[in-house]
Amino acid sequence: YTENVTVGIYAEQRFGFNDRLFLTAALRADDNSAFGDEFSLVYYPKASATWVISEEPFWNVEPVSALRLRAAYGQAGMQPGAFDALRTFNPVPGADDVSTITPGTVGNPHLGPERSSEIELGFDAGFVEDRVGLEFTWYNQNTRDAILLRPVAPSTGFPGSRFINLGEIQNRGWEMALSTTPVSTSRVRWDATLSLAHISNE
């Protein structure tokens, strides 16, 4: 039987200006039963903006029927396993069949979640009265405090390894989708989509 408890609070505010510019800001705070005793709340902020620039009075690019610019930044986290931070002992039979205990896992009272920060930039465009659409997104994600296993020093009296926040991972790349409607009649409609993506991990 395993029990895991998360307590969190979340607040978000959205703003709209002239139905063209939209801003969002939010903050989330989490506490989880899998965190170490010495680790407190973790906070995840986020913010995003969208601008429908093609609806502005100054827009005068006839081939582009619609254009929306967007940008976003946010943080997220992944909690440890339910017992990764706990110090444990294992029951073993002792002398004269008397039950006793032996060191199990050393635990880590400072263990916290993995934290990822990501920024995204992109646009959505429509051409020829939206019969041709193009979506493009570039992103860069950085994960800090990745949870890894490290061998335990024999002097601790505990065997094996323990979980620590140590690693760092970087993901970056782009995604693109081109959609078209080559044929559109009262009886026949043909839609086609081409998707491309590239990702780099380190």
Side-chain angles (χ1 to χ4, degrees), residues 53-168:
I53 190 173
S54 59
E55 294 186 3
E56 294 290 351
F58 60 78
W59 185 258
N60 190 25
V61 183
E62 292 185 1
V64 183
S65 53
L67 179 61
R68 179 169 68 102
L69 307 179
R70 45 187 168 79
Y73 171 81
Q75 293 186 3
M78 186 179 72
Q79 65 203 33
F83 305 116
D84 292 349
L86 296 181
R87 174 169 294 189
T88 63
F89 297 87
N90 300 323
V92 294
D96 299 326
D97 292 330
V98 176
S99 296
T100 184
I101 58 174
T102 186
T105 57
V106 66
N108 182 0
H110 302 284
L111 186 64
E114 296 183 357
R115 301 192 60 175
S116 299
S117 303
E118 182 172 354
I119 184 170
E120 290 186 3
L121 302 173
F123 65 87
D124 303 325
F127 306 90
V128 194
E129 298 181 353
D130 290 340
R131 294 190 64 173
V132 178
L134 177 64
E135 300 178 11
F136 181 84
T137 300
W138 173 87
Y139 60 90
N140 187 359
Q141 182 187 67
N142 187 271
T143 301
R144 296 179 293 107
D145 297 331
I147 300 174
L148 302 175
L149 271 175
R150 184 173 67 181
V152 175
S155 58
T156 63
F158 285 82
S161 304
R162 73 170 180 172
F163 291 95
I164 59 172
N165 296 107
L166 181 66
E168 183 172 342

